[in-house]
Amino acid sequence: MNSKRRVCHLYERGVVPYAIAHSWQQSLVAERRQNPDLEDVLILLEHPPIYTLGQGATLDFLKFDATQSEWEVVRVERGGEVTYHCPGQLVGYPILNLHTYQKDLHWYLRQLEEVLIRVLAAYGLQGERVPGLTGVWVEGKKLAAIGIKVSRWITMHGFALNVCPDMSGFERIVPCGIVDKPVGSMEQFIPGIQLEDVREQVAIAFAEVFNVHLVQVDLEV
């Protein structure tokens, strides 16, 4: 890794419609394809209730008919199976140029897991990896999901950490296609936890793990 601390722009918002955030990501990635010297970005936000499917995801893990449902379902270019977003879940979208870190997708996934493990540790929770799977678990419950897209070594999509969401939305799917491992939230272990506090911890851990200097900005795309 480059020993010099890069500047990474931190953009924080509350609840943002998925389509808008997706458009932000696409614009930021396109700009960095044209000019690889642009600084990195970390977007932290929440989404209204929505189910997202990875590029190659199967509909078999939906427990409802996506064509005749009140629930919004969208297929996007990330990897992985179906997942659920809703308020109370902290979503992170790093737009990083991996040329300046490591051109290694497995390394990048492990780094994202490390960020989340450190966040959980700040609250006294022991986050764990599961061999062969991507994400972070606490006492057998999956608290964080990760799904990425990397194009010309520029990243988009990212991670989702269940802080204090309404967990009932997960009952309508097989989250990430994993049948035998339940999902969970930080709130189940720490009643009353506040998403705003966790968002701050995520920023701190991200800066440590990726060795960047976060500068809070207003995103203009």
Side-chain angles (χ1 to χ4, degrees):
M1 183 191 291
N2 189 336
S3 60
K4 183 180 178 181
R5 291 182 73 200
R6 289 172 56 85
V7 169
C8 180
H9 292 171
L10 174 62
Y11 181 63
E12 296 179 296
R13 285 292 293 273
V15 179
V16 176
Y18 190 89
I20 292 176
H22 189 230
S23 177
W24 289 343
Q25 292 185 76
Q26 290 176 319
S27 295
L28 291 163
V29 169
E31 290 171 358
R32 280 148 184 80
R33 283 179 184 159
Q34 293 182 338
N35 182 2
D37 294 328
L38 289 175
E39 289 168 334
D40 296 327
V41 175
L42 173 62
I43 305 172
L44 296 177
L45 43 68
E46 302 165 76
H47 289 307
I50 187 171
Y51 295 94
T52 68
L53 296 159
Q55 194 166 16
T58 174
L59 295 175
D60 295 346
F61 295 124
L62 291 176
K63 297 180 180 179
F64 58 89
D65 185 347
T67 64
Q68 300 179 5
S69 169
E70 61 184 297
W71 311 109
E72 186 176 2
V73 180
V74 63
R75 187 179 293 274
V76 292
E77 64 273 68
R78 66 165 173 79
E81 293 290 341
V82 63
T83 194
Y84 177 62
H85 300 300
C86 67
Q89 179 193 74
L90 181 62
V91 178
Y93 295 130
I95 313 295
L96 307 183
N97 186 339
L98 292 185
H99 280 99
T100 61
Y101 298 91
Q102 287 192 33
K103 293 190 289 184
D104 183 329
L105 299 189
H106 293 288
W107 173 88
Y108 178 56
L109 290 170
R110 301 295 84 78
Q111 295 301 99
L112 292 180
E113 289 171 347
E114 179 63 23
V115 169
L116 298 163
I117 287 170
R118 292 190 186 195
V119 171
L120 294 169
Y123 290 92
L125 300 176
Q126 184 174 343
E128 298 177 336
R129 296 178 173 94
V130 173
L133 298 175
T134 301
V136 179
W137 282 257
V138 173
E139 296 184 11
K141 294 183 177 181
K142 188 173 186 180
L143 267 62
I146 296 173
I148 65 169
K149 168 70 174 179
V150 179
S151 175
R152 300 185 194 174
W153 296 109
I154 298 172
T155 69
M156 64 181 295
H157 296 288
F159 58 85
L161 175 62
N162 294 333
V163 180
C164 50
D166 177 357
M167 298 296 292
S168 64
F170 289 98
E171 297 172 2
R172 305 182 192 101
I173 60 172
V174 179
C176 304
I178 303 173
V179 178
D180 60 344
K181 296 185 185 303
V183 291
S185 71
M186 295 181 71
E187 186 179 42
Q188 292 171 343
F189 298 93
I190 308 171
I193 192 168
Q194 297 296 309
L195 185 136
E196 291 76 13
D197 297 334
V198 177
R199 185 165 56 197
E200 183 176 341
Q201 290 296 327
V202 167
I204 292 169
F206 187 90
E208 292 174 350
V209 171
F210 285 96
N211 191 33
V212 295
H213 175 59
L214 290 177
V215 177
Q216 197 156 14
V217 297
D218 289 328
L219 186 61
E220 295 180 4
V221 292

